[in-house]
Amino acid sequence: GGNIGQGIMKALRMSLFDVKIVGTDMNPLSAGLLRCDKAYVVKGSDHKGFLNEIVKIIRKEKVKIVLVGSDFELDFFSHHKNDIENQTGCYVLTSSLEVCQASYDKWKTYLFCRERNIPYPETCLPHQKVLIRKMIRRKGFPVILKPRVGYGSRFVEKINDRKELDFFLNRIPDPIVQEYLGSDSKEYTAASFVDSVGRIVGTILFKRMLSAGATYKAEVVQDSNLVSQVQNIVRKIKPLGPCNIQFREVSGNVVPFEFNIRFSGTTPIRAALGFNDVEMALRHFVFREKLKGPKIKKGLAFRYWNEVIVEDVDFQILRKRKRGHLSGKTYLLSAM
């Protein structure tokens, strides 16, 4: 149902493979389920029956690789990667548990980067009041307040003075206080793909504009200096497969404020511009190919709303957590 899962499906359809996509979601009324070849409504990944449910689906549908579309599931699959692979023979694409947890929790991200000498905005927990005051004296306002665990830009606030800080500290769940970096006009997202021996196959760099926490305009900017800095950071993170770094350029330097060890919201945009890291995952981890560097096209991407229309479908099938067999007509609106 999320934009990342739908983006993975788009990238699979753009690939050179004739794929069968098996999709899962907690919510039966998810547009993404309607665009899979097989669809299952499952329990949440925090439910004790989720592991058995996923294993049964993988075995039944003869799934070759699991591609994760959200941080919540990433935490689960990084914990249970070996269990699932041993029980099914299916490859589960996740980085190490340590790296996944560091990307999931923004305070752990800060500690992870500090230990590895990766540039990162100064960050404090709410109870570290002395450190917060010192940071504000040195850096000034604004500062950023956001949850340790979150997605998109949910509960992220730009704080302009002490009064706002005191107000939002009591309203944002489990927050961190973070140094504000540079300028909004210098924000980028970079995606790299790392193979099984730690080689960076390629990196694509976008200058982006955001709407509701998601990229809605993205321009390919393959600045060699920035790409080189991003790749140095990726080598220190040591991910496996996709790695997405969100950063701001500050005085010519790459300063990340978040990294995701999974496919990200710009996955289908990347695929359309020659950097299909979902196809790379299939080639490398399923078919054991040694990958060549992608041929990245220059381009500008725009996003817009679209609709999936379903006629006369009985959603009780999905609600009963059975295979999603669609008896009616499903189509995607499009116009030239």
Side-chain angles (χ1 to χ4, degrees):
N3 70 318
I4 297 170
Q6 292 177 33
I8 291 171
M9 286 193 287
K10 290 176 184 177
L12 285 168
R13 300 298 187 199
M14 282 187 258
S15 76
L16 296 178
F17 294 112
D18 181 15
V19 294
K20 171 183 158 184
I21 299 174
V22 181
T24 65
D25 200 282
M26 290 173 58
N27 185 354
L29 303 182
S30 294
L33 289 177
L34 303 173
R35 306 196 69 200
C36 300
D37 298 306
K38 293 288 183 70
Y40 290 84
V41 177
V42 296
K43 301 177 180 71
S45 59
D46 58 346
H47 192 281
K48 64 180 181 180
F50 184 71
L51 177 59
N52 288 336
E53 200 170 21
I54 289 297
V55 166
K56 286 179 182 178
I57 293 170
I58 290 172
R59 285 174 172 167
K60 180 178 180 180
E61 301 295 346
K62 298 180 173 59
V63 175
K64 301 299 182 186
I65 186 169
V66 171
L67 305 172
V68 184
S70 80
D71 288 320
F72 300 106
E73 280 76 24
L74 188 65
D75 185 64
F76 169 86
F77 281 105
S78 61
H79 270 95
H80 296 284
K81 174 180 170 69
N82 291 337
D83 292 336
I84 295 170
E85 290 180 347
N86 291 337
Q87 291 184 56
T88 66
C90 171
Y91 187 83
V92 178
L93 179 53
T94 70
S95 293
S96 70
L97 180 60
E98 179 193 18
V99 173
C100 290
Q101 289 183 334
S103 70
Y104 182 62
D105 183 320
K106 302 303 180 289
W107 174 248
K108 290 182 179 179
T109 305
Y110 168 66
L111 298 178
F112 181 92
C113 290
R114 189 173 68 178
E115 290 170 1
R116 288 157 181 78
N117 199 29
I118 296 171
Y120 200 75
E122 189 172 344
T123 304
C124 303
L125 294 173
H127 71 268
Q128 297 175 316
K129 298 186 185 302
V130 174
L131 294 179
I132 293 172
R133 285 197 296 268
K134 287 181 178 179
M135 180 178 73
I136 291 172
R137 276 201 300 269
R138 283 184 288 104
K139 308 286 186 178
F141 285 102
V143 295
I144 295 295
L145 198 61
K146 60 186 176 184
R148 284 179 60 165
V149 176
Y151 54 91
S153 290
R154 195 165 182 238
F155 296 121
V156 176
E157 298 289 344
K158 182 179 178 181
I159 305 299
N160 295 299
D161 54 43
R162 172 61 67 176
K163 186 177 179 180
E164 286 186 7
L165 181 60
D166 293 339
F167 177 84
F168 283 106
L169 271 174
N170 296 318
R171 285 161 177 80
I172 292 178
D174 201 10
I176 56 171
V177 183
Q178 200 166 74
E179 168 193 0
Y180 181 80
L181 292 174
S183 164
D184 292 353
S185 64
K186 295 283 188 177
E187 185 159 318
Y188 298 81
T189 182
S192 299
F193 190 87
V194 180
D195 69 12
S196 56
V197 296
R199 181 177 66 98
I200 299 175
V201 177
T203 298
I204 187 169
L205 180 63
F206 289 115
K207 194 170 186 180
R208 67 178 189 164
M209 296 180 68
L210 297 177
S211 177
T215 302
Y216 85 102
K217 289 183 184 178
E219 180 183 3
V220 176
V221 184
Q222 290 300 95
D223 181 291
S224 58
N225 175 47
L226 297 180
V227 169
S228 176
Q229 290 186 59
V230 166
Q231 292 187 341
N232 286 336
I233 291 169
V234 171
R235 291 186 185 98
K236 292 179 180 180
I237 295 173
K238 296 183 180 179
L240 179 65
C243 178
N244 177 257
I245 294 178
Q246 298 171 40
F247 71 91
R248 286 193 171 180
E249 180 188 354
V250 182
S251 301
N253 297 315
V254 169
V255 184
F257 57 88
E258 186 173 317
F259 63 81
N260 299 302
I261 310 302
R262 53 163 170 73
F263 299 105
S264 65
T266 55
T267 293
I269 298 173
R270 300 196 296 262
L273 292 169
F275 190 96
N276 193 335
D277 44 359
V278 180
E279 182 174 348
M280 292 181 209
L282 269 62
R283 289 189 178 280
H284 187 64
F285 295 110
V286 177
F287 297 105
R288 305 298 180 185
E289 294 182 18
K290 183 175 181 179
L291 299 172
K292 298 178 181 178
K295 295 180 180 178
I296 298 169
K297 306 170 189 175
K298 287 289 185 75
L300 180 64
F302 300 87
R303 277 201 164 118
Y304 64 98
W305 283 96
N306 207 349
E307 293 77 28
V308 176
I309 308 300
V310 185
E311 296 181 3
D312 302 323
V313 173
D314 182 6
F315 282 103
Q316 295 303 320
I317 296 172
L318 289 174
R319 287 197 175 103
K320 291 177 182 176
R321 302 185 185 280
K322 295 182 179 180
R323 182 177 65 84
H325 174 71
L326 304 181
S327 58
K329 181 180 179 183
T330 303
Y331 53 92
L332 181 71
L333 288 187
S334 62
M336 297 300 291

